[in-house]
Amino acid sequence: MTATASAGETAGGPAGGTAGGTTLSRAVRVLEAFGPDRAALSVAEIARRSGVSMATTSRMVAELVRLGLLERGADRRVRAGSRLRELASRAAPAGLREAAAPFMEDLHAVVGHHVHLGVLEDARLLVVERLSAPDAVVDASRFGGRLPAHASSGGLVLLAHAPAEIRERVLAGRRERFTAATVTDPARLRALLADVRRGGFAFCRGHVHPRAAGIAAPVRDARGRVVAALTAVVPNDAGARAQVSALRVAARGVSRALGARPA
Amino acid sequence: MTATASAGETAGGPAGGTAGGTTLSRAVRVLEAFGPDRAALSVAEIARRSGVSMATTSRMVAELVRLGLLERGADRRVRAGSRLRELASRAAPAGLREAAAPFMEDLHAVVGHHVHLGVLEDARLLVVERLSAPDAVVDASRFGGRLPAHASSGGLVLLAHAPAEIRERVLAGRRERFTAATVTDPARLRALLADVRRGGFAFCRGHVHPRAAGIAAPVRDARGRVVAALTAVVPNDAGARAQVSALRVAARGVSRALGARPA
């Protein structure tokens, strides 16, 4: 089809070029014939759904079965193989926001109020994604906004796992007090960060606003580094603590979607 | 390579058969070159990692980019495209146990004790997957074991969403009493099932054993049908209720992995 393709055909045999393009696009059409509600198909059904001829579909299915991307059952019906999903999830790990989005939606549907995702930038918490509800409790954070790391639950999680020099910079700098509960004393802040590291979450009642409680848990990447904090901001009442487990479970889910292995 | 392939070559051109086999297997090798820790690669790096010649890799990458399975950045480096993951997750939705496994691990890591996955079989809860800890609270369920649907939190979730005739069969039949808290009275059981449907979870303190609390949430498939219950069995103490949100978030995650759309 292109000059490169023709050169390839000459150099490398009939595997690529026009034939390759056609083969790959047909393979994609064959795979697209499957879906959650049509998990098992006969070759005839695949041919009909994909618009690929029976002869070609038949060959294509045989080859995809050989590669493990499709599986053939005892009834001769064909299903997408688990190797297809493995290949895709290994080759295309989701980006941070993409990985977090479904977990944030689930968390928000259950916990309500505010759910956000933050990263550390200049020793502050930067909110990179946020879900809120109209009747939610007051929340000082804004999408794209920044909060001091020492005051917010997400900031504490990130600070707890940050390189020592960033932690020391925050401990040496000016630390704004928002409420009577904001931890600004260096010794108390150090102890709090150690607690957060040990416990695997931060739970802050009224550190930024007396009426709000922040709960945050770390999100790790494929190398195990803490790259973000998943936070819920809920009313500062007796029910707040009950959301800690949900935050921790969701943050582990986001980490997995980023390729992290469970600890 | 096979008789079918040769016939195909004659009938359908050079798209399939030996050429197709080779093209597809090379495409898989190209995709396998990527991984969580090597998300962006140059064509030369892909060729080296996949063992495919530069010329063929170059053509293959161009074709995969055209199909959206790979993406090329401004720096000419190549990444796996989000379409690859979309294609795979649509074509190969996970089976129930496979979908549930990572969420069960996360839940178990955070909540501890027992986490199980159950389905309704003959109006009873059948435990199809189970994670436990050595020092966990007493749990009447066993892997592969069955519990009466009216007594267990997972059974109540499944019963709440079961066809009316199954619910009526349980309401008409003999209902074993395990503890003083087991709900056996038909009117109370009907009210409890309505609560479970409305609330989206079952929370049962001591219904099977006085020392254990069961918390369960529904798992839905791509058609929105409740196909399983995700359950945690924890000590029947003041902390039990704090696990409800975690169960609900995890059950939504399993549902998503099965292709369910968020409600």
Side-chain angles (χ1 to χ4, degrees):
Chain A
M1 203 181 277
T2 65
T4 320
S6 308
E9 296 251 321
T10 317
T18 303
T22 307
T23 301
L24 288 180
S25 60
R26 284 178 182 172
V28 168
R29 276 153 68 196
V30 163
L31 294 175
E32 280 175 341
F34 295 87
D37 264 2
R38 34 176 211 263
L41 297 171
S42 69
V43 170
E45 286 166 334
I46 296 169
R48 205 161 47 238
R49 287 181 182 281
S50 63
V52 174
S53 76
M54 263 300 277
T56 303
T57 299
S58 181
R59 284 200 318 276
M60 195 73 82
V61 164
E63 173 66 7
L64 288 166
V65 166
R66 198 180 67 75
L67 291 168
L69 301 185
L70 292 179
E71 289 166 4
R72 207 188 301 260
D75 57 357
R76 303 290 296 159
R77 288 168 77 81
V78 178
R79 294 168 176 272
S82 57
R83 177 149 164 66
L84 174 63
R85 202 171 48 256
E86 280 163 28
L87 177 67
S89 63
R90 207 172 60 90
L96 175 61
R97 284 169 58 176
E98 192 189 357
F103 292 94
M104 290 180 72
E105 278 172 34
D106 290 347
L107 201 56
H108 193 250
V110 172
V111 176
H113 298 278
H114 310 277
V115 170
H116 37 84
L117 182 73
V119 299
L120 207 58
E121 198 188 74
D122 282 338
R124 289 189 298 174
L125 175 80
L126 170 67
V127 177
V128 297
E129 200 54 271
R130 186 172 187 266
L131 296 173
S132 293
D135 56 348
V137 70
V138 56
D139 177 19
S141 79
R142 290 287 168 266
F143 173 72
R146 288 168 178 80
L147 279 178
H150 72 281
S152 56
S153 58
L156 287 170
V157 161
L158 294 169
L159 214 50
H161 295 279
E165 75 258 26
I166 293 180
R167 208 155 43 234
E168 294 309 319
R169 202 198 314 164
V170 169
L171 285 162
R174 203 183 76 80
R175 286 174 303 285
E176 192 177 351
R177 169 172 295 286
F178 292 85
T179 69
T182 314
V183 177
T184 57
D185 175 72
R188 279 192 58 213
L189 191 51
R190 245 183 244 282
L192 178 56
L193 291 171
D195 279 352
V196 168
R197 253 192 314 273
R198 208 165 27 235
F201 64 94
F203 177 51
C204 301
R205 284 188 174 285
H207 288 209
V208 178
H209 189 284
R211 280 196 285 123
I215 311 154
V219 170
R220 293 175 188 274
D221 71 3
R223 294 187 199 173
R225 296 170 300 197
V226 172
V227 290
L230 187 65
T231 302
V233 177
V234 298
N236 183 11
D237 62 23
R241 178 128 203 148
Q243 310 304 344
V244 169
S245 289
L247 257 291
R248 295 179 66 200
V249 168
R252 293 178 77 100
V254 179
S255 304
R256 244 192 310 108
L258 289 175
R261 306 195 168 274
Chain B
M1 204 183 277
T2 65
T4 320
S6 308
E9 297 251 324
T10 317
T18 303
T22 308
T23 300
L24 288 179
S25 60
R26 285 179 181 171
V28 168
R29 276 153 67 195
V30 163
L31 294 174
E32 280 175 341
F34 296 86
D37 264 0
R38 35 176 210 267
L41 297 172
S42 69
V43 170
E45 286 167 333
I46 297 170
R48 207 161 45 238
R49 287 182 182 279
S50 63
V52 175
S53 77
M54 263 298 278
T56 304
T57 299
S58 180
R59 283 201 318 277
M60 195 72 82
V61 165
E63 173 67 8
L64 289 166
V65 166
R66 200 179 66 76
L67 291 168
L69 302 185
L70 292 180
E71 288 166 5
R72 206 188 302 260
D75 59 355
R76 303 292 296 160
R77 290 168 75 81
V78 178
R79 296 169 174 271
S82 58
R83 179 150 163 67
L84 174 63
R85 202 169 50 253
E86 280 163 29
L87 177 68
S89 63
R90 207 172 62 89
L96 175 60
R97 284 168 59 175
E98 192 189 355
F103 293 93
M104 291 180 71
E105 279 171 34
D106 290 346
L107 201 56
H108 193 251
V110 172
V111 176
H113 297 278
H114 310 277
V115 170
H116 38 83
L117 182 74
V119 299
L120 206 59
E121 197 187 76
D122 281 340
R124 289 188 299 174
L125 175 79
L126 169 68
V127 177
V128 296
E129 200 54 88
R130 187 173 186 266
L131 296 173
S132 292
D135 56 348
V137 70
V138 58
D139 176 19
S141 79
R142 291 287 168 268
F143 174 74
R146 287 169 179 78
L147 279 178
H150 72 282
S152 56
S153 57
L156 287 170
V157 161
L158 294 168
L159 214 50
H161 296 277
E165 74 256 28
I166 293 179
R167 208 154 44 232
E168 294 308 319
R169 203 200 312 165
V170 169
L171 286 160
R174 203 184 76 82
R175 286 173 305 283
E176 192 177 351
R177 168 172 296 286
F178 292 85
T179 69
T182 314
V183 177
T184 58
D185 174 72
R188 279 193 57 213
L189 190 52
R190 245 182 244 281
L192 178 56
L193 291 172
D195 279 352
V196 168
R197 253 192 314 273
R198 207 165 28 236
F201 65 94
F203 177 52
C204 302
R205 286 188 170 286
H207 288 207
V208 178
H209 189 285
R211 281 196 284 123
I215 309 153
V219 170
R220 293 176 187 274
D221 71 4
R223 293 186 199 175
R225 296 171 301 198
V226 173
V227 290
L230 187 64
T231 302
V233 177
V234 299
N236 182 10
D237 60 25
R241 178 126 204 153
Q243 310 304 343
V244 169
S245 289
L247 257 291
R248 294 179 66 200
V249 169
R252 292 179 79 98
V254 179
S255 303
R256 244 191 310 109
L258 288 175
R261 303 192 174 275

